[in-house]
Amino acid sequence: MIDITQHNPLTLQEKLKNKICKLHRSFFDLEIGEAEKYLEARDLVYVFSEKENDEIIGTVAIKWIQHEKNIIVYIGNVVFCEKYQRQNFLSHVIFQAYLKTLIKFPGKKVYFSCFMTTPKAYNICKRFPQHFPCPDKKTPQEVLSVMDTVAHEIAGPKNYTTQGDVTIVSNFKKRKFMHNASKETLKSYNGFFEEVNPDFIRGTQLISIFPVSYKEAFLMAWHSFYYLIKKTKRSFLK
């Protein structure tokens, strides 16, 4: 069983903070001080741990960014041990974060944003009818403005490049790829990620923006519920 707890990064107990930073540094090319700095820059961190031994197996953090009349929900610090990947934990966090955002910022238009590290990570875009940049739609100017705000606030002015509607970040480089480091075997569902971020194998990331409505939030909830049903069924049949 997995416990999911929520914490303010600024008030984390030292032991828990050190465990989280150690996990982050095992996946990303970060110094000790950098891992702590990036963690404390978030507003909320979800910690996933095994109930039996209290071992941390993953984290997801969020940061709210005001942008004109909109609110951006940045999803970062996403790390899960290999055994617990593809468990749909991220959908659970996104849905909860959306509900928190509606309460915290009523009446605001909501955008989600994250830095895509791999083609498989990019595949979550399939769950969002609207995501940018994408190969078959021009990115609206408002979304480009949101993208620039995220890059400036999260990555920092010297750590990203923008060409057209594609922004690439370079300061959260992934230390290892979980299954196979061969670029040829890592494919996104439509090939777009590899096309616009060909250096991803060296750790560069693509900024993705998702305008989120009630419909997208419902789909996130459905994916989480559907996964839970499938998992329960598999456990029952064993």
Side-chain angles (χ1 to χ4, degrees):
M1 292 291 291
I2 301 299
D3 268 338
I4 306 173
T5 55
Q6 302 174 34
H7 306 268
N8 180 339
L10 294 176
T11 59
L12 281 169
Q13 293 182 354
E14 200 65 24
K15 183 179 179 181
L16 179 56
K17 181 192 293 184
N18 290 339
K19 283 185 177 182
I20 293 171
C21 290
K22 182 180 179 181
L23 179 65
H24 289 177
R25 292 182 66 232
S26 72
F27 280 78
F28 292 94
D29 189 12
L30 300 169
E31 299 297 330
I32 295 176
E34 286 182 311
E36 185 174 338
K37 180 183 76 172
Y38 289 133
L39 176 62
E40 292 181 346
R42 311 299 174 237
D43 295 316
L44 186 67
V45 59
Y46 290 81
V47 178
F48 299 76
S49 55
E50 291 183 335
K51 189 169 280 189
E52 295 81 6
N53 55 22
D54 207 33
E55 189 70 27
I56 294 176
I57 57 90
T59 67
V60 180
I62 66 174
K63 182 175 180 62
W64 287 287
I65 304 170
Q66 295 271 6
H67 175 75
E68 299 174 356
K69 295 181 179 180
N70 310 311
I71 190 71
I72 306 166
V73 186
Y74 169 72
I75 304 288
N77 305 74
V78 180
V79 172
F80 286 97
C81 297
E82 185 172 3
K83 177 182 175 182
Y84 294 97
Q85 292 181 7
R86 289 181 294 279
Q87 299 288 309
N88 227 33
F89 291 135
L90 188 56
S91 292
H92 170 81
V93 170
I94 290 174
F95 182 64
Q96 281 208 3
Y98 181 67
L99 294 180
K100 286 180 180 292
T101 303
L102 293 182
I103 295 169
K104 192 176 178 71
F105 303 97
K108 296 277 189 179
K109 185 172 182 179
V110 179
Y111 291 91
F112 274 76
S113 177
C114 56
F115 297 172
M116 298 298 185
T117 56
T118 66
K120 288 186 177 181
Y122 175 80
N123 286 343
I124 197 174
C125 292
K126 289 190 293 185
R127 301 181 184 181
F128 291 86
Q130 296 242 29
H131 62 270
F132 300 97
C134 62
D136 52 355
K137 289 182 185 177
K138 183 178 179 180
T139 304
Q141 189 59 46
E142 182 179 338
V143 176
L144 289 174
S145 180
V146 168
M147 196 178 295
D148 186 64
T149 295
V150 172
H152 189 273
E153 290 285 329
I154 304 297
K158 297 180 180 180
N159 298 311
Y160 68 92
T161 58
T162 299
Q163 186 171 4
D165 62 353
V166 173
T167 297
I168 301 297
V169 176
S170 60
N171 61 330
F172 298 104
K173 293 183 178 179
K174 199 164 187 179
R175 190 182 292 276
K176 61 181 179 179
F177 289 87
M178 295 314 304
H179 297 289
N180 195 321
S182 170
K183 188 174 179 179
E184 288 70 30
T185 64
L186 296 168
K187 303 292 184 182
S188 62
Y189 76 100
N190 60 3
F192 180 72
F193 177 88
E194 306 92 294
E195 178 185 340
V196 299
N197 185 23
D199 290 331
F200 73 89
I201 201 75
R202 290 196 283 271
T204 58
Q205 302 123 64
L206 172 70
I207 295 185
S208 293
I209 304 294
F210 308 86
V212 177
S213 65
Y214 295 112
K215 179 180 178 181
E216 283 79 20
F218 174 79
L219 287 173
M220 284 290 101
W222 167 249
H223 279 294
S224 296
F225 177 73
Y226 181 66
Y227 171 79
L228 181 62
I229 294 298
K230 285 177 64 179
K231 187 175 181 180
T232 303
K233 184 178 179 181
R234 285 198 299 267
S235 299
F236 180 77
L237 291 175
K238 284 182 179 179

